[in-house]
Amino acid sequence: MTVESSALYDVPGPKARARHRLYGWLALLAIAAVLGWVVYMLFHTQQFTYQKWMPFAYKGVQELLLRGLGNTLRAFGWTVLFALPFGALFAAGRLSDHRPVRWASTVVVEFFRAMPLLVMIFFIFVALKAPPMWALVAGLTLYNGSVLAEVFRAGVLAVPKGQKEAAYALGLRKTQVMAYVLVPQANRAMLPTIVSQLVVALKDTSLGFLITYEEFLHAGKLIATNLDYDLPFIPVVMVIAPVYIGMCLLLSWFAKWLERRGHRDPKVKGGAPVAPAGLTPDPQG
């Protein structure tokens, strides 16, 4: 009887497997106990009463939530539209051969990465008198664009140097090397991090309620603090949180879909016929 082994660890024997199953069941019981306690406390504090869930049956409340969700998606869409070119532009600046351009781009990226996002939003809203939505979009663009600039730069630098040297040997200019060789190869490495940063940007749109931007969280706050509905704070959280989680999961699923498409082997269609191995085609035939 042979015992399989791994280069990193020994395959557990019967006793170890039984012990691991025991640990798994104990962990499941602990999780179930915590969830049971949470549900008990929700019922004990009367979070499922009709009075607290009644607001969601009103058309006005539903329209308020949908309008807030639309404003959240609008701010997120503008942020993505501006942050991606911002990051690409300053990543190219940081990779520039010209020292003044490289230094200026580094100062901009490091400054907005270090600046707290809420401070930037408040400054644009209060000092520059920008409308709430554009103050939020500008702050999110500057911060997330700076982070994406580092992501793009790191992705390009991660491509093996031989690829760039081979492209230069073929006579390509630097712009062509970047556009046709480095960036396409860096896309696979950058994509998960880019989507992760976009998820952060989506969640950070909730900061808009601090400057009276009527986004999704602001709409929930108006409902949760309504005395006529018996302050339904927990029901509002239970409605809003799954929506945010669902949007983030949708972004993650989209990233995985793009990654799977990127890893597919290209299928070559057409082309000249190839003779079977070991046979020499008859040139007359």
Side-chain angles (χ1 to χ4, degrees), residues 42-53:
L42 290 175
F43 277 102
H44 182 69
T45 55
Q46 299 180 348
Q47 299 301 328
F48 294 105
T49 59
Y50 174 77
Q51 180 69 16
K52 290 190 174 182
W53 286 89

Side-chain angles (χ1 to χ4, degrees), residues 44-217:
H44 182 69
T45 55
Q46 299 180 348
Q47 299 301 328
F48 294 105
T49 59
Y50 174 77
Q51 180 69 16
K52 290 190 174 182
W53 286 89
M54 177 183 61
F56 300 106
Y58 293 150
K59 184 177 180 181
V61 171
Q62 296 171 2
E63 291 177 348
L64 177 64
L65 289 173
L66 289 175
R67 187 166 59 250
L69 180 59
N71 289 336
T72 290
L73 295 176
R74 186 177 297 110
F76 174 68
W78 284 112
T79 299
V80 173
L81 186 64
F82 294 143
L84 290 174
F86 182 97
L89 176 65
F90 283 94
R94 295 205 65 182
L95 294 169
S96 174
D97 293 332
H98 304 286
R99 186 175 299 176
V101 175
R102 190 168 63 249
W103 285 0
S105 299
T106 300
V107 169
V108 170
V109 169
E110 295 300 330
F111 176 80
F112 288 118
R113 283 179 65 203
M115 181 67 65
L117 175 57
L118 194 56
V119 172
M120 286 193 290
I121 293 174
F122 268 114
F123 178 82
I124 297 170
F125 178 66
V126 176
L128 303 183
K129 304 296 183 182
M133 190 192 79
W134 293 114
L136 175 64
V137 169
L140 291 173
T141 297
L142 293 174
Y143 173 73
N144 291 284
S146 299
V147 175
L148 288 173
E150 282 299 285
V151 173
F152 295 154
R153 185 178 74 92
V156 170
L157 293 178
V159 178
K161 290 182 62 178
Q163 300 289 325
K164 180 170 64 174
E165 294 170 353
Y168 280 130
L170 292 174
L172 298 180
R173 296 189 298 273
K174 183 176 180 180
T175 305
Q176 295 174 315
V177 172
M178 186 70 70
Y180 300 135
V181 178
L182 299 182
V183 172
Q185 294 188 63
N187 276 336
R188 291 184 182 180
M190 293 189 298
L191 185 59
T193 310
I194 291 173
V195 174
S196 297
Q197 194 58 40
L198 294 182
V199 169
V200 171
L202 176 60
K203 292 188 294 184
D204 284 345
T205 56
S206 61
L207 295 175
F209 89 95
L210 296 172
I211 56 173
T212 68
Y213 179 57
E214 297 180 355
E215 44 76 52
F216 197 41
L217 186 61

